[in-house]
């Protein structure tokens, strides 16, 4: 199809993997427009926003402001529609604002002659089947929308709605089509991925079992899970070698006091038991952690730190608490000064980095082979440098005299673990 005369659309995606999937839905829904990977080539920019923190809002706002006077038509969508869409629209900074539920109508919206603001509603589910992921080695599969948790610091349920699941048959069809189109690693994602099936009498373990039976699936990575969503049936599934040897389980904190204050459903003693069990099974373990939430006193912090040290964590997504309007945490006093929060963040990250290096050294010493999906290939010193991720979600750099295309699977039997990443020669 000749798309040279069609207006070019660039998508700027902020935030999580769910947003990446939503962007792909919009790309697939374009008919009268062509997609470009380059902002400078575009006539239209669609900003798919994140609003999880004040910093996320600020980053989105700064990007929209930067686009002014560049002659592009700007549209605004994503989680930020509820928090700042109206303000951006009223200031004339964007031509159109549309909510999550309208993204499959993007072709119609981009054709609109008049500017518009339509926040949509919060109970929709996409019907689009994705056939490719532009520029990606792995395919993201959104399995659900929304969240029923009521964490005191979080605004996401109010912008994504309550938890609702995509149909099992549709998810399997989606993966089968992508597998036929050459994808072999799949990442399950959603607003609260572990809640898949609760609204339709199913469970995540049922879905994972079905996906692992698809021949084209070489590796299945699971997005963020809540500790309270991991049951015995799920733990039994972990013997399947198609499941990545890395799990991301959102703890958010390790102080019993803070977990209660945050209205979390997990407790530290059970978290420790679960993480030790999974580590003994050979899994690398990641988590989310909020630092500097109101009332994280020095005494609370010291207890949390000792508890953190006991966890076999190898990956960490830590972030400093960001006040969000219309949340219970926003009403709390006893804020933690920024310099103290930043210092605490560095301490947790250093502990995790040391744990990660220790895990990789152990794998090296025990000569455990790594299964690597090559994501990038570059010419280097008369040969090639291959970059990829192993099944423990660790980076590896491979020097090779032979050329391997992107998306090739390699088994690396010998490697050297260094502090920044793993290295190998083949």
């Amino acid at each position: 199809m000749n798309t040279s005369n069609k207006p070019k659309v660039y998508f700027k995606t902020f935030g999580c993997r769910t947003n990446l999937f939503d962007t792909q839905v919009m790309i697939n829904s374009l008919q009268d427009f062509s997609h470009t990977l380059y902002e400078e080539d575009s006539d239209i920019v669609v900003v798919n926003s994140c609003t999880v923190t004040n910093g996320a809002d600020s980053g989105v706002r700064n990007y929209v402001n930067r686009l002014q006077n560049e002659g592009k038509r700007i549209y605004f969508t994503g989680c930020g529609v509820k928090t700042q869409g109206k303000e951006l629209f009223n200031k004339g900074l964007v031509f159109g604002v549309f909510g999550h539920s309208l993204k499959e109508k993007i072709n119609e919206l981009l054709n609109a002659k008049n500017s518009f603001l339509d926040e949509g509603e919060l109970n929709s589910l996409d019907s689009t089947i994705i056939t490719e992921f532009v520029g990606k080695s792995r395919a993201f599969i959104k399995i659900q929308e929304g969240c029923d948790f009521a964490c005191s610091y979080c605004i996401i349920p109010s912008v994504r709605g309550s938890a609702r699941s995509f149909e099992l048959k549709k998810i399997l069809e989606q993966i089968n089509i992508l597998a036929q189109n050459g994808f072999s690693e799949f990442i399950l994602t959603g607003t609260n991925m572990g809640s898949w099936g609760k609204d339709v009498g199913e469970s995540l373990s049922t879905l994972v079992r079905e996906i692992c039976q698809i021949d084209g699936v070489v590796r299945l990575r699971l997005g963020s899970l809540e500790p309270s969503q991991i049951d015995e049936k799920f733990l039994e599934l972990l013997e399947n070698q198609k499941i990545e040897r890395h799990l991301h389980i959102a703890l958010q904190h390790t102080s019993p006091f803070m977990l209660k204050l945050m209205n979390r459903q997990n407790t530290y003693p059970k978290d420790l038991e679960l993480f030790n069990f999974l580590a003994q099974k050979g899994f690398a373990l990641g988590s989310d952690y909020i630092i500097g939430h109101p009332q994280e006193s020095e005494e609370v912090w010291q207890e949390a730190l000792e508890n953190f040290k006991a966890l076999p964590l190898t990956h960490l997504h830590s972030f400093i608490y960001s006040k969000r309007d219309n949340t219970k945490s926003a009403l709390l006093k006893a804020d933690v000064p920024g310099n103290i929060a930043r210092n605490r963040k560095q301490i947790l990250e250093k502990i995790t980095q040391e744990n990660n290096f220790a895990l990789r050294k152990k794998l090296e010493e025990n000569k455990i082979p790594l299964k690597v999906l090559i994501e990038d290939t570059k010419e280097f010193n008369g040969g090639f440098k291959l970059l990829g991720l192993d099944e423990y979600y660790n980076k590896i750099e491979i020097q090779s005299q032979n050329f391997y295309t992107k998306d090739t699977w390699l088994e690396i039997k010998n490697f050297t673990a260094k502090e920044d990443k793993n290295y190998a020669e083949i």
Side-chain angles (χ1 to χ4, degrees):
M1 182 188 298
N2 181 12
T3 61
S4 58
N5 295 323
K6 293 183 176 182
K8 294 180 180 178
V9 183
Y10 173 74
F11 290 86
K12 176 66 174 179
T13 306
F14 291 85
C16 63
R17 293 167 180 161
T18 301
N19 269 12
L20 289 171
F21 186 92
D22 289 346
T23 290
Q24 200 64 49
V25 169
M26 289 189 281
I27 292 171
N28 270 45
S29 301
L30 295 175
Q31 296 171 347
D32 302 321
F33 305 85
S34 64
H35 171 234
T36 178
L37 292 171
Y38 307 102
E39 179 192 305
E40 59 270 23
D41 291 343
S42 65
D43 306 294
I44 296 168
V45 175
V46 177
V47 181
N48 191 0
S49 62
C50 173
T51 191
V52 69
T53 65
N54 284 341
D57 272 349
S58 177
V60 169
R61 233 177 2 254
N62 290 340
Y63 179 76
V64 170
N65 286 330
R66 182 177 70 74
L67 289 177
Q68 305 306 311
N69 304 317
E70 291 192 13
K72 302 180 190 299
R73 182 170 281 192
I74 308 166
Y75 294 81
F76 190 79
T77 188
C79 292
V81 165
K82 292 285 184 182
T83 55
Q84 58 178 339
K86 189 174 183 179
E87 179 185 0
L88 293 172
F89 182 77
N90 288 341
K91 288 182 176 179
L93 297 175
V94 295
F95 183 82
V97 175
F98 58 98
H100 290 297
S101 61
L102 299 168
K103 60 181 172 286
E104 291 179 292
K105 296 182 178 179
I106 188 169
N107 195 74
E108 176 185 332
L109 296 173
L110 297 188
N111 272 314
K113 302 301 182 188
N114 299 318
S115 59
F116 61 89
L117 168 62
D118 190 342
E119 294 185 359
E121 38 86 10
L122 294 178
N123 57 14
S124 66
L125 284 170
D126 310 331
S127 60
T128 302
I129 294 289
I130 302 297
T131 58
E132 65 174 333
F133 274 79
V134 178
K136 300 292 182 183
S137 294
R138 310 177 218 93
F140 300 98
I141 306 296
K142 186 165 73 170
I143 63 173
Q144 63 84 231
E145 275 277 19
C147 180
D148 291 338
F149 280 44
C151 301
S152 61
Y153 51 82
C154 187
I155 196 174
I156 295 303
S158 67
V159 299
R160 282 277 183 180
S162 58
R164 52 210 188 271
S165 306
F166 284 96
E167 185 184 358
L168 173 64
K169 181 180 177 182
K170 179 182 181 292
I171 296 170
L172 299 178
E173 179 186 359
Q174 173 76 87
I175 294 174
N176 269 301
I177 289 173
L178 287 165
Q180 289 167 16
N181 288 344
F183 287 91
S184 54
E185 179 170 339
F186 297 86
I187 304 168
L188 301 188
T189 186
T191 315
N192 186 324
M193 193 201 76
S195 67
W196 183 88
K198 63 174 286 189
D199 54 331
V200 291
E202 294 279 6
S203 69
L204 182 63
S205 55
T206 302
L207 174 62
V208 171
R209 186 181 299 107
E210 292 282 346
I211 293 172
C212 287
Q213 290 177 7
I214 297 174
D215 289 339
V217 175
V218 176
R219 188 154 74 202
L220 179 65
R221 189 194 307 171
L222 307 176
S224 184
L225 293 164
E226 292 286 337
S228 59
Q229 295 166 338
I230 298 176
D231 57 18
E232 287 298 324
K233 286 185 177 180
F234 181 84
L235 292 175
E236 290 171 7
L237 282 175
L238 298 180
E239 302 299 329
N240 193 311
Q241 292 304 302
K242 285 189 176 183
I243 297 174
E244 184 178 54
R245 302 292 96 184
H246 164 267
L247 292 172
H248 186 95
I249 302 170
L251 301 181
Q252 305 302 359
H253 216 279
T254 47
S255 156
F257 168 77
M258 290 304 302
L259 289 171
K260 187 175 182 180
L261 189 67
M262 292 174 168
N263 199 33
R264 295 284 299 160
Q265 295 187 23
N266 55 304
T267 62
Y268 175 74
K270 288 186 177 179
D271 293 343
L272 180 61
E273 182 182 357
L274 174 64
F275 272 55
N276 282 334
F277 174 82
L278 293 170
Q280 289 165 9
K281 287 278 189 182
F283 280 83
L285 296 167
S287 192
D288 296 327
Y289 202 102
I290 299 172
I291 297 140
H293 186 282
Q295 299 186 22
E296 188 186 77
S297 65
E298 183 63 26
E299 181 182 1
V300 168
W301 160 250
Q302 288 298 332
E303 180 189 25
L305 178 58
E306 290 308 307
N307 288 344
F308 186 91
K309 289 176 181 177
L311 289 167
L313 270 169
T314 58
H315 297 73
L316 187 67
H317 178 207
S318 62
F319 47 99
I320 294 171
Y321 169 77
S322 177
K323 184 177 178 180
R324 302 304 285 130
D325 294 336
N326 302 315
T327 62
K328 289 184 178 180
S329 291
L331 303 175
L332 297 173
K333 303 300 181 184
D335 290 343
V336 178
N339 61 323
I340 292 177
R342 286 189 292 274
N343 182 58
R344 292 174 180 177
K345 185 176 189 290
Q346 290 173 358
I347 291 170
L348 297 188
E349 289 177 347
K350 187 173 187 295
I351 292 169
T352 310
Q353 288 165 3
E354 290 171 352
N355 290 346
N356 181 278
F357 185 45
L359 169 72
R360 292 186 289 112
K361 287 297 290 184
K362 183 177 178 181
L363 293 171
E364 175 194 354
E365 290 164 2
N366 292 336
K367 298 192 181 301
I368 305 296
L370 302 178
K371 194 172 188 178
V372 178
L373 176 63
I374 301 303
E375 298 180 20
D376 195 17
T377 300
K378 300 176 181 178
E379 291 187 13
F380 181 74
N381 283 353
F384 300 94
K385 181 192 292 185
L386 316 175
L387 303 173
L389 284 169
D390 64 25
E391 65 266 53
Y392 301 94
Y393 198 48
N394 290 315
K395 293 179 180 178
I396 185 166
E397 180 180 306
I398 306 161
Q399 289 191 34
S400 171
Q401 293 303 307
N402 298 318
F403 175 77
Y404 291 92
T405 61
K406 179 184 171 186
D407 302 334
T408 299
W409 287 96
L410 293 177
E411 184 175 299
I412 305 301
K413 295 183 178 179
N414 296 294
F415 67 94
T416 302
K418 296 187 179 180
E419 288 196 10
D420 61 334
K421 57 177 172 282
N422 294 328
Y423 292 82
E425 293 184 20
I426 56 172

